[in-house]
Amino acid sequence: MEENLPGSALAADYLVDLSNVVRDRSLGGPGPRSLHRFRLVIRALVHMTTDSRVAVHPVADTSLLGGAREFADRRDVTVLRRWISAGLVEEVDDADQRMLELLELTSAAGTRAITGDRFVGHRREHPWLQGDNDRFLRPVPTPSGSVRLVPLEMGISVDAEISRHEELAAFKKQGLLRNSRRPPSTVVNRFWRCPERRCTLYDAHSGRVLLPRLRGGVPTCEVHGLPLADAGARPAMAQLKLMVDGICKARYTVEEGTRTGIGRNPTAGIALYDLLPDRLAPRISREHVIVSTAGGILLVRDVSTYGTRMRTLNRHGRLGPWARLPNGQSRRFAPGDEVELSPGVVLTRSGRRFPAELAAAWQTPDGKPSPPTAASQTTSLG
Ligand SMILES: [Zn+2]
């Protein structure tokens, strides 16, 4: 279970509105509050993504533990306390606000949230919620006692929609729109430091890096309420998954500016031999593909004996047909694209992007976060 909790929204594939899930009696489990419901959600995610290491960042409000008496199973309280003190669960005063903030910060990466809440009261502040069908999944019980995740369609809240237009009009008049928001990529791709000397909440060396809270667009320390200082660039990573016969067998991170050979047993890079069944291994070359970056874009190049196929996501979030990669030529490897080393052995790229890709994704004409097509695609593999 804890292997699914990386302790950082940046490293997570999914955010979970923990209080909402734990309080949802329709999911089974005893009492008004039950951590069992959260376990069922993790199980559903593992099933849906075929990835036993699927990474989840739960956000809880302080009232979840504040109402500890409502947990039918006292062990839930102990576990929850431990997770919070270890930083595996982010505890804040206002989880709704934080969930939406994290969704905005990770919008270009396409991180999705699990909740039954439609956030109607937040639509004036977060107009992107209107009509959204991509970023939210809702847990629903199945007859067998497990949980299934279905898209949560946000729909349009008419009153909020009207206010939004009024607000946009007012902003435009004052020329504030352009400056009112910091592009999330500039927050996500920097390290931050609290001016309070003993505060290590955002310490780059802690291994787990908390994304700062934004107060009026300014990264702010959650505890001290002080504006955070910029502590330098955060090295960018892309994540690859190895799928064997449709099951995620391993996850790898590729750092910007590196060159990584991937194959049965490359001299340097990612060796797959102990992850491949005997029938598949002989079709994979010792070094099969090379993944590298250029100008902040991830590239893949075929260097194999038997060839490599690739299919890419189109603008509508659908995968195109398989096409053979021309040997020795680099091709762009975007989130959601699939590279097939041999039938049954596929590398996919998860939603997280490099800054250059993030910045490009942010520059949509209306300034709205672009839809998380890549993530929808990678999670529909089950
Ligand atoms: Zn602080």
Side-chain angles (χ1 to χ4, degrees):
M1 181 82 201
E2 286 176 19
E3 71 269 16
N4 297 106
L5 307 176
S8 162
L10 269 182
D13 305 311
Y14 294 87
L15 309 174
V16 173
D17 189 352
L18 191 62
S19 307
N20 182 274
V21 167
V22 161
R23 290 186 177 107
D24 187 347
R25 285 169 181 263
S26 77
L27 303 180
R33 300 183 191 195
S34 167
L35 214 48
H36 177 65
R37 294 161 191 157
F38 175 57
R39 293 196 184 91
L40 291 173
V41 163
I42 300 279
R43 239 174 268 166
L45 277 173
V46 168
H47 178 75
M48 187 176 87
T49 60
T50 69
D51 179 0
S52 64
R53 301 290 303 267
V54 62
V56 167
H57 184 67
V59 179
D61 37 50
T62 40
S63 68
L64 183 63
L65 265 184
R69 262 168 287 121
E70 293 202 357
F71 283 93
D73 187 339
R74 298 297 302 172
R75 283 170 301 181
D76 283 1
V77 178
T78 314
V79 170
L80 205 47
R81 283 219 174 95
R82 193 178 70 230
W83 285 349
I84 289 170
S85 63
L88 305 184
V89 168
E90 187 172 344
E91 189 189 50
V92 291
D93 289 339
D94 181 351
D96 282 4
Q97 198 55 46
R98 182 56 170 165
M99 287 285 295
L100 296 174
E101 195 172 284
L102 288 175
L103 280 168
E104 291 198 345
L105 286 168
T106 58
S107 68
T111 309
R112 298 167 97 189
I114 293 162
T115 181
D117 195 338
R118 287 194 158 77
F119 300 99
V120 173
H122 294 269
R123 296 192 179 196
R124 193 188 304 253
E125 269 170 280
H126 301 280
W128 57 271
L129 286 168
Q130 292 282 27
D132 179 273
N133 298 327
D134 295 314
R135 307 275 330 257
F136 297 91
L137 294 169
R138 178 169 63 94
V140 292
T142 69
S144 66
S146 65
V147 157
R148 202 159 53 87
L149 297 165
V150 300
L152 175 61
E153 295 180 5
M154 299 313 265
I156 304 283
S157 297
V158 177
D159 284 349
E161 180 73 348
I162 292 167
S163 322
R164 176 200 171 193
H165 279 100
E166 290 169 353
E167 222 174 43
L168 283 176
F171 272 142
K172 273 182 191 144
K173 206 180 279 175
Q174 297 164 38
L176 288 176
L177 193 58
R178 184 172 302 194
N179 305 320
S180 67
R181 304 185 47 157
R182 197 180 173 110
S185 57
T186 64
V187 176
V188 170
N189 296 303
R190 310 296 297 176
F191 284 119
W192 298 94
R193 186 167 28 79
C194 180
E196 178 65 47
R197 285 249 302 285
R198 275 163 301 176
C199 178
T200 57
L201 262 187
Y202 304 92
D203 191 337
H205 307 291
S206 70
R208 261 200 301 271
V209 181
L210 205 63
L211 278 176
R213 304 275 331 224
L214 295 182
R215 300 252 151 86
V218 178
T220 306
C221 177
E222 168 72 22
V223 170
H224 300 101
L226 301 167
L228 298 173
D230 189 325
R234 186 200 300 276
M237 310 268 204
Q239 190 181 68
L240 301 179
K241 295 189 183 191
L242 171 71
M243 311 294 293
V244 177
D245 292 329
I247 307 285
C248 178
K249 290 289 185 189
R251 301 155 72 109
Y252 308 99
T253 47
V254 179
E255 206 167 302
E256 194 176 20
T258 60
R259 174 195 177 284
T260 309
I262 304 175
R264 197 160 28 82
N265 195 13
T267 3
I270 297 171
L272 307 178
Y273 64 91
D274 55 350
L275 298 165
L276 300 171
D278 292 345
R279 73 187 158 82
L280 294 175
R283 304 292 298 177
I284 311 289
S285 298
R286 198 175 55 79
E287 186 167 64
H288 201 102
V289 290
I290 291 168
V291 170
S292 61
T293 58
I297 305 288
L298 195 71
L299 302 171
V300 60
R301 178 154 55 96
D302 171 57
V303 291
S304 71
T305 309
Y306 297 111
T308 299
R309 297 197 305 166
M310 184 171 190
R311 55 180 182 174
T312 56
L313 271 191
N314 65 21
R315 281 186 305 130
H316 307 293
R318 290 194 199 91
L319 280 165
W322 287 112
R324 195 174 162 122
L325 276 180
N327 188 271
Q329 280 180 34
S330 289
R331 285 290 157 90
R332 193 181 165 166
F333 190 179
D337 292 349
E338 299 187 355
V339 170
E340 184 194 63
L341 308 187
S342 171
V345 183
V346 172
L347 288 172
T348 65
R349 189 172 163 201
S350 83
R352 265 164 270 153
R353 305 180 202 197
F354 286 131
E357 297 169 327
L358 270 162
W362 185 249
Q363 285 158 7
T364 54
D366 54 0
K368 266 172 60 179
S370 63
T373 47
S376 342
Q377 204 60 44
T378 43
T379 52
S380 64
L381 287 162

